[in-house]
Amino acid sequence: MTWEQELDENTSSFDAAIPGYVRYSMIVDASKGIYNLRIHNVQMDDEAEYQCQVGPAPNNQPIRAHAKVSVIVPPKALEIRGYRNGSTVEMREGQKLSIQCLAKNSKPATQLKWLRNGVEITKGKNLSGLVLK
């Protein structure tokens, strides 16, 4: 039984330790036919399709099963572009204000929402001249 990462054919191994991949190991219970691939400290580079394979045996083709690993990364911080966190923005009445909120380096992209005095501002709803686009 071997595990292979589709993007790199050198990942195969029959040993618990996988040479060249210090964060990868196999947890094996051969009596039950269980061969688990363990990835420690998953990183974006680990996102790929993995393949479990048995064989080939004489006169038989190998048997394979596939699994796709998708790495999810939550945002670490939010930023109001151009302002420090907790800043007061002073505007004159009648002026237009555009505030941009950024959540960097998240995967999948973060779904942000704006709140005004603790109440969510819904897209397209006009609250005293305030419009979320």
Side-chain angles (χ1 to χ4, degrees), residues 14 30 43 70 86 88 105 126:
F14 287 98
Q43 299 173 7
S70 180
T88 298
N105 303 320
N126 192 328

Side-chain angles (χ1 to χ4, degrees), residues 74-113:
K76 298 204 179 3
L78 294 178
E79 172 190 338
I80 304 289
R81 179 169 274 170
Y83 300 98
R84 290 179 9 160
N85 192 23
S87 295
T88 298
V89 180
E90 294 184 2
M91 300 295 298
R92 294 187 188 269
E93 189 173 20
Q95 287 183 310
K96 185 177 181 178
L97 174 64
S98 178
I99 303 174
Q100 185 178 26
C101 183
L102 302 171
K104 296 180 182 177
N105 303 320
S106 66
K107 181 180 174 285
T110 302
Q111 297 294 315
L112 299 171
K113 56 184 166 184

Side-chain angles (χ1 to χ4, degrees), residues 8-81:
D8 185 342
E9 295 182 17
N10 296 322
T11 318
S12 301
S13 177
F14 287 98
D15 300 324
I18 302 175
Y21 294 84
V22 295
R23 296 180 299 103
Y24 289 37
S25 61
M26 285 182 54
I27 310 302
V28 178
D29 184 342
S31 66
K32 294 181 181 177
I34 298 172
Y35 295 80
N36 295 324
L37 176 65
R38 177 177 286 168
I39 304 173
H40 296 275
N41 188 24
V42 173
Q43 299 173 7
M44 285 301 298
D45 289 348
D46 297 318
E47 186 165 292
E49 184 171 295
Y50 291 80
Q51 180 182 109
C52 174
Q53 174 180 305
V54 65
N59 301 319
N60 290 302
Q61 294 294 319
I63 301 170
R64 298 180 175 105
H66 301 266
K68 182 177 180 180
V69 173
S70 180
V71 180
I72 298 170
V73 182
K76 298 204 179 3
L78 294 178
E79 172 190 338
I80 304 289
R81 179 169 274 170

Side-chain angles (χ1 to χ4, degrees), residues 112-129:
L112 299 171
K113 56 184 166 184
W114 283 94
L115 296 110
R116 178 182 179 200
N117 296 328
V119 178
E120 184 177 349
I121 303 168
T122 57
K123 190 172 184 174
K125 187 173 181 182
N126 192 328
L127 300 173
S128 303

